[in-house]
Amino acid sequence: MGAAAEHVDAVVVGSGFGASVAAYRLAEAGRSVVVLERGRAYPPGSFARNPYEMSKAFWEPKDELFGLFDVRSFRKIESIVSAGLGGGSLIYANVLLRKDERWFVHDSPLPGGGYEHWPIGRRDLDPHYDAVEQMLAPVPNPYPDLPKSKALRDAATSLGLEVFSPPLAVAFAPRPGAEPQPKQVIEPPAYGNYHGSTRLTCRLCGECDIGCNEGSKNTLDHTYLSAAKHHGADIRTLCDVYGITPLAGGGYEVRYTRYSEGPGDDGKRGRTECRITCAHLLLGAGTFGTTSLLLRNRVGLPALGRAVGSRFSGNGDLLTFCMDAKATTAGGGVRLINGSYGPVITTAIRRPDGVDEAGAGRGYYVEEAGFPEFANWLIETAQVGSQLQRTVSMVRDLLAYRLKRRNESTISAEIAKLIGQGRLTSSSIPLLGMGRDTPDGRITLNDGELDIAWTSETSMKYFDAMRETMRSISDTLGAEFKDNPLWWTKRVVTVHPLGGAPLGRHVHEGVVDAWGESFGHPGLFVVDGAALPGPVGPNPSLTIAALSDRITEHLLEQPRRRRSAASIAADVEAAEPDAGPLAGSGTQFTEQMKGFVTLGETDPMTGWTRGRQLAQRFMFELTIDAPDVERFVASSRHEGTATGLVDCDLLGGQLPVKRGWFNLFVAGADDRTREMRYRLWFSDLSGTPITMYGFKVVRDDPGLDLWTDTSTLYITLLRGHVPPEADGEVVGAGMLRILPQDFARQLTTFKGSGQTPLRAVGGFGAFFLKALRDVYLKPAPQPERPPTTTAEDPS
């Protein structure tokens, strides 16, 4: 591998609300900082709008998609997150609300056991809330008479609900204190702008959630990241981090893939594997990105603890719709709501929590959720029945003119009828709810991909209460209440995934402490939504940013870590033995074994028991090759080669074996004990090298144990690629077994090679049977009897 090319004080992974704040605070303090963001930069005017652009606006690198929207689908929940410089701020609705003081709960019981506990409180975050608000400059919607704002406010007032205008990180005026006016040039701040592009004030187009092409939103690329760059931060886009390794003398090596800016001649982007080392590593890749990195690097980060992946929450997100509202004036008719006019969110309703009012249940917020102007056309033209009726009416009128030979060249009225009145879109609006759902979900790896075990059932009282409030709002507006179609299967869509690396009081409760630092790996920090041990309640962006500000400030107060380039190079220098191919031919067969494993355990039986409880499966499928059967039998090592794959979700799914050894019936602890040994070199999904060492003990114990002995493999996982006969650091343990049906299949895979293939297979089989006979059927040696002596006559 060679020495790392560069070393910096801090690497920040991601560029969302946690990462960008950390990057700015570190750079401002004079630290050398590299920001690694997987997505690309989006200056004003670069967000997708037409169908062709939108088809490319999704993130899936394996399918050559490098766009903005990362859409995830899990068993009971869907999610949409961002891949771009500025993270979630590029597609959020700009709301910056502080977490309610009493909602920082302590030891709040969870249905399946455990507790939601916040080791920090509102007082800890208030100074940092202030700092973030100063940078992002949120203000309430300055246009209170927007129809959708007035509609939600009127409904809330009628129902006696608490309603207010939340602060929005949007530039409505060209400078602070000026009158709001659309499409005016915004004065740039002293730290400049990362993109070097002109920004314009909000034109009330409802496009906040798909990227603001005017640059009106005070997104992180325009604020924190621009300021970080001004202070010397090195911001790198299209850099996808996958590997983390602690260095022996402190600090971390970070491995990442750097994608080229555009596709090559083959239509695919180039990929360069890169490495960098740092004294401090700050993970801010979002709940999915950060948790995925920690799960994929469990071997390299063995002291993380078992809380990794726990406390997942969707922040109680729920989307419903108020359709076709009616006016309350005499004569009724359509109530103008015009959901596409204005910022996406302008008004919020707050419902209290049980910690605020006894018996109130879990608290939540309801906000109106506008949509882009062009969506009006999509929605209206999608109404097939009414559109067909209008088309038939227009054709009928035109035919009537021709049949009556009536000269009617002006058909503007008929075209207007064809378009329709836009009644549905002008009188409908989505409602977005969020709050304190139950944070009892768990994030794991399955086939190398993230998987989430989460259900709405444990939060059903919360969701039912929120839906009733939404239904009451809809009824008050004279509208038809509609659930999100996914709700029919009790699925929800979240844009606020939280948890996975939660704050805790100790390693058994959290992944990081109250300052965001890993319990077991000093210098590793989590600064994003993954660190939250439960839902925020309101929109979580401000709380994530404030938490990161607190964490980074604490980091800067600690003594600065410095290391020489030589010591860092020594830590990352590869020390693997030659892994060239092993030559030979003879007998081959394929073997598959399955079982369970646990990281952090050293005893195979304990690892198997715990791994089975946690469904942490491990299997391998190997082709065993005895290169030369005669030499194989004659040698005391009886060594062959093993090739194939290992499959373990804990380590990242299916992983190829880079090199493997197999030893059959080698001498054990005594003459009547033999061992079958396996040693496999592979690497987890992060690139961390691992050795699996396994052994079967063949011994004639009381009872019928032939099958158990030959079908049970005790395994340990060792850090690094450890050569035969050498010991290594154990990072996991477990047990594998071969099932009878797999053994029957294994017998059909035997084949020979060379000039006498049948003889080779026969020789291998004869050796195998002789070894079993020697262990189980050979009479045990009898101890020698002492010679018989005649007692002398005492007389």
Side-chain angles (χ1 to χ4, degrees):
M1 291 173 65
E6 57 183 328
H7 178 78
V8 294
D9 292 326
V11 168
V12 179
V13 181
S15 63
F17 283 96
S20 64
V21 172
Y24 164 68
R25 290 297 308 270
L26 290 167
E28 183 192 36
R31 302 291 177 92
S32 55
V33 181
V34 168
V35 177
L36 299 175
E37 164 57 47
R38 62 173 177 162
R40 65 181 182 87
Y42 287 89
S46 64
F47 294 101
R49 287 299 182 266
N50 62 53
Y52 173 77
E53 293 172 342
M54 193 59 73
S55 71
K56 306 292 184 183
F58 296 91
W59 179 263
E60 189 92 50
K62 68 176 183 280
D63 293 320
E64 293 298 313
L65 290 172
F66 297 87
L68 179 61
F69 300 100
D70 184 357
V71 184
R72 305 291 185 101
S73 180
F74 304 104
R75 280 178 279 178
K76 288 291 185 179
I77 194 168
E78 321 289 332
S79 186
I80 303 173
V81 294
S82 173
L85 188 66
S89 73
L90 299 177
I91 61 172
Y92 86 135
N94 321 299
V95 176
L96 296 181
L97 286 172
R98 302 188 181 198
K99 181 176 173 68
D100 298 67
E101 184 172 3
R102 291 190 179 93
W103 294 13
F104 288 88
V105 296
H106 303 292
D107 293 318
S108 177
L110 298 174
Y115 301 87
E116 178 187 352
H117 179 89
W118 288 73
I120 58 173
R122 177 68 175 265
R123 289 185 180 180
D124 297 311
L125 288 186
D126 271 338
H128 306 284
Y129 280 133
D130 293 340
V132 175
E133 288 171 346
Q134 184 174 359
M135 175 67 85
L136 297 182
V139 295
N141 166 41
Y143 303 104
D145 293 330
L146 291 175
K148 64 173 188 165
S149 306
K150 191 172 185 305
L152 191 58
R153 189 175 293 275
D154 288 350
T157 302
S158 298
L159 295 168
L161 302 175
E162 177 187 346
V163 63
F164 63 99
S165 297
L168 306 177
V170 176
F172 294 101
R175 71 189 68 84
E179 288 295 317
Q181 189 176 357
K183 300 199 73 171
Q184 300 299 302
V185 175
I186 300 171
E187 291 186 1
Y191 50 74
N193 186 280
Y194 177 90
H195 304 292
S197 301
T198 300
R199 298 174 59 201
L200 302 178
T201 56
C202 179
R203 67 180 180 89
L204 309 176
C205 62
E207 296 180 0
C208 307
D209 289 350
I210 58 172
C212 179
N213 271 331
E214 307 295 338
S216 310
K217 296 171 59 174
N218 295 334
T219 49
L220 299 168
D221 51 338
H222 295 313
T223 53
Y224 273 105
L225 292 168
S226 290
K229 181 182 178 184
H230 173 75
H231 287 288
D234 182 355
I235 299 174
R236 304 176 186 178
T237 56
L238 292 171
C239 292
D240 202 356
V241 174
Y242 63 86
I244 301 168
T245 302
L247 303 178
Y252 295 86
E253 181 194 53
V254 179
R255 300 182 296 281
Y256 63 97
T257 300
R258 189 158 199 169
Y259 303 113
S260 61
E261 290 294 330
D265 295 338
D266 59 356
K268 296 183 178 180
R269 291 180 186 251
R271 290 164 166 79
T272 304
E273 301 305 313
C274 306
R275 295 185 302 148
I276 185 172
T277 62
C278 57
H280 294 100
L281 176 59
L282 295 94
L283 301 182
T287 286
F288 297 147
T290 290
T291 307
S292 175
L293 272 174
L294 294 177
L295 289 171
R296 292 168 191 260
N297 286 270
R298 289 288 297 276
V299 173
L301 301 168
L304 284 174
R306 296 193 177 98
V308 178
S310 65
R311 296 292 176 263
F312 173 79
S313 161
N315 202 48
D317 285 0
L318 184 68
L319 181 66
T320 63
F321 303 90
C322 295
M323 307 293 290
D324 201 11
K326 308 297 189 300
T328 56
T329 56
V334 175
R335 170 161 188 160
L336 182 65
I337 293 180
N338 202 356
S340 64
Y341 183 50
V344 167
I345 293 174
T346 66
T347 311
I349 292 170
R350 178 186 181 276
R351 295 293 292 154
D353 189 276
V355 297
D356 303 314
E357 298 179 6
R362 298 177 78 89
Y364 55 88
Y365 287 73
V366 176
E367 300 163 351
E368 101 279 18
F371 45 85
E373 290 176 334
F374 64 77
N376 290 326
W377 291 97
L378 299 177
I379 295 170
E380 290 294 337
T381 54
Q383 307 307 306
V384 177
S386 57
Q387 182 72 16
L388 181 61
Q389 186 177 5
R390 292 195 298 269
T391 302
V392 171
S393 176
M394 176 183 172
V395 171
R396 184 181 62 242
D397 290 344
L398 292 177
L399 285 174
Y401 296 155
R402 298 296 179 261
L403 291 174
K404 294 178 180 179
R405 297 185 178 182
R406 174 181 169 185
N407 184 21
E408 184 71 32
S409 61
T410 302
I411 59 170
S412 298
E414 284 73 19
I415 296 295
K417 289 179 183 178
L418 177 63
I419 295 174
Q421 298 177 343
R423 171 175 176 151
L424 181 64
T425 52
S426 64
S427 61
S428 302
I429 194 167
L431 294 177
L432 176 62
M434 65 196 77
R436 286 196 59 234
D437 64 341
T438 304
D440 58 352
R442 188 165 192 93
I443 306 174
T444 58
L445 288 178
N446 189 351
D447 292 332
E449 298 289 339
L450 282 186
D451 190 21
I452 296 179
W454 181 91
T455 174
S456 60
E457 293 300 322
T458 54
S459 298
M460 193 51 66
K461 288 184 179 179
Y462 159 84
F463 284 118
D464 286 344
M466 179 187 288
R467 287 180 65 251
E468 282 306 307
T469 297
M470 292 172 162
R471 185 184 296 276
S472 298
I473 293 169
S474 183
D475 292 345
T476 302
L477 294 174
E480 183 179 0
F481 178 75
K482 295 282 188 181
D483 279 310
N484 182 330
L486 289 174
W487 182 253
W488 300 340
T489 59
K490 296 299 182 284
R491 298 173 68 87
V492 299
V493 180
T494 181
V495 293
H496 302 129
L498 303 173
L503 302 168
R505 291 166 288 189
H506 46 76
V507 70
H508 302 295
E509 181 178 75
V511 174
V512 294
D513 62 19
W515 298 103
E517 188 171 16
S518 167
F519 284 108
H521 295 285
L524 173 63
F525 295 83
V526 176
V527 295
D528 57 20
L532 301 185
V536 173
N539 313 66
S541 305
L542 180 61
T543 296
I544 294 169
L547 177 65
S548 177
D549 193 75
R550 179 178 185 268
I551 291 170
T552 313
E553 185 173 280
H554 177 72
L555 185 161
L556 291 169
E557 292 170 353
Q558 307 308 306
R560 191 166 180 176
R561 298 176 180 174
R562 297 183 183 276
R563 295 187 60 200
S564 68
S567 68
I568 295 165
D571 279 351
V572 300
E573 187 69 31
E576 295 185 3
D578 174 46
L582 295 175
S585 62
T587 300
Q588 290 183 346
F589 64 92
T590 299
E591 182 176 32
Q592 186 180 91
M593 300 194 75
K594 302 173 182 177
F596 301 93
V597 70
T598 300
L599 296 180
E601 292 290 349
T602 58
D603 176 64
M605 283 298 297
T606 304
W608 179 82
T609 302
R610 188 179 296 275
R612 186 180 184 187
Q613 293 170 345
L614 299 174
Q616 295 174 169
R617 303 180 186 279
F618 187 105
M619 69 84 70
F620 63 59
E621 185 172 300
L622 302 176
T623 296
I624 305 297
D625 182 7
D628 184 301
V629 170
E630 289 186 7
R631 183 177 298 177
F632 177 88
V633 172
S635 168
S636 62
R637 292 177 54 82
H638 308 307
E639 184 173 277
T641 63
T643 57
L645 61 85
V646 165
D647 192 347
C648 177
D649 286 333
L650 272 179
L651 304 176
Q654 289 192 358
L655 306 165
V657 172
K658 297 182 178 180
R659 187 175 181 184
W661 293 262
F662 169 75
N663 301 91
L664 183 64
F665 293 126
V666 295
D670 55 59
D671 289 342
R672 295 184 58 79
T673 300
R674 297 291 182 267
E675 291 185 1
M676 302 183 195
R677 298 172 186 168
Y678 299 70
R679 186 174 293 261
L680 309 178
W681 284 0
F682 62 98
S683 296
D684 68 9
L685 209 57
S686 75
T688 300
I690 302 170
T691 297
M692 187 215 81
Y693 172 69
F695 64 94
K696 301 176 184 178
V697 179
V698 182
R699 182 174 53 235
D700 187 19
D701 296 319
L704 299 175
D705 58 345
L706 171 62
W707 173 254
T708 301
D709 287 351
T710 56
S711 64
T712 303
L713 183 70
Y714 303 95
I715 67 169
T716 52
L717 302 179
L718 312 177
R719 185 186 311 282
H721 287 163
V722 182
E725 309 305 327
D727 295 326
E729 178 189 354
V730 178
V731 296
M735 190 171 70
L736 310 182
R737 286 176 173 152
I738 185 169
L739 302 177
Q741 60 268 32
D742 292 330
F743 179 72
R745 190 181 307 115
Q746 175 181 322
L747 294 177
T748 68
T749 66
F750 274 86
K751 63 180 181 180
S753 60
Q755 295 181 346
T756 56
L758 292 179
R759 182 177 176 181
V761 173
F764 183 90
F767 167 73
F768 190 93
L769 293 174
K770 180 179 182 300
L772 292 179
R773 183 195 63 195
D774 289 346
V775 172
Y776 294 103
L777 299 179
K778 188 175 182 179
Q782 299 296 319
E784 293 185 10
R785 299 180 63 182
T788 303
T789 59
T790 304
E792 295 183 0
D793 188 350
S795 58

